[in-house]
Amino acid sequence: MAAQSERAGAGYRPAPVHTHPDDVPLLTALSALADPVRIQLIRELAGQPDWTLSCSNFDVPVGRAAKSHHFSVLRDAGLVEQRDQGPKRLNRLRREEFDERFPGLLDLALRADSVT
């Protein structure tokens, strides 16, 4: 009986926690944007409509756990919002909200020459 309840809960994951950009210090935002993998995630999100990319759609050179960590950093910095839809976790770039808090910062990060 215990094995059944363990298997039943195996697919459960808590809903993601989001930080609103208004609550993000500048250094947190800069730190989130300082990593090449996170910049790649942000660039891919910026090029797609909201809620169309799941976490598995991103082709980044890190494992699943590291990718999850990068998304957590982006959520904590107010850059990304995520929601679960069945087994998928869909993403949206919080561009409007982030731009209100840090005008021009995201545009600079998204420039092709901003990351080598």
Side-chain angles (χ1 to χ4, degrees):
M1 189 74 93
Q4 274 185 325
S5 63
E6 286 177 21
R7 279 195 302 266
Y12 172 79
R13 63 179 169 186
V17 176
H18 300 94
T19 303
H20 194 278
D22 288 346
D23 300 324
V24 175
L26 177 60
L27 289 179
T28 300
L30 292 172
S31 177
L33 292 169
D35 184 277
V37 170
R38 291 193 287 269
I39 289 290
Q40 184 177 346
L41 294 172
I42 292 297
R43 284 183 175 163
E44 289 185 38
L45 279 172
Q48 298 296 321
D50 290 350
W51 309 118
T52 57
L53 293 178
S54 71
C55 293
S56 62
N57 292 127
F58 296 88
D59 184 25
V60 290
V62 296
R64 187 175 176 182
K67 189 189 302 184
S68 179
H69 167 74
H70 286 297
F71 274 111
S72 176
V73 170
L74 293 171
R75 283 194 318 267
D76 290 346
L79 281 156
V80 170
E81 185 177 8
Q82 296 180 307
R83 71 177 183 205
D84 292 333
Q85 185 173 8
K88 296 181 179 182
R89 182 158 280 178
L90 301 178
N91 301 277
R92 115 176 151 88
L93 182 62
R94 299 178 78 177
R95 185 170 197 136
E96 185 177 313
E97 301 103 302
F98 194 82
D99 283 344
E100 284 180 23
R101 173 75 169 114
F102 303 107
L105 182 57
L106 193 52
D107 288 335
L108 286 172
L110 293 172
R111 285 181 27 188
D113 63 348
S114 65
V115 175
T116 55

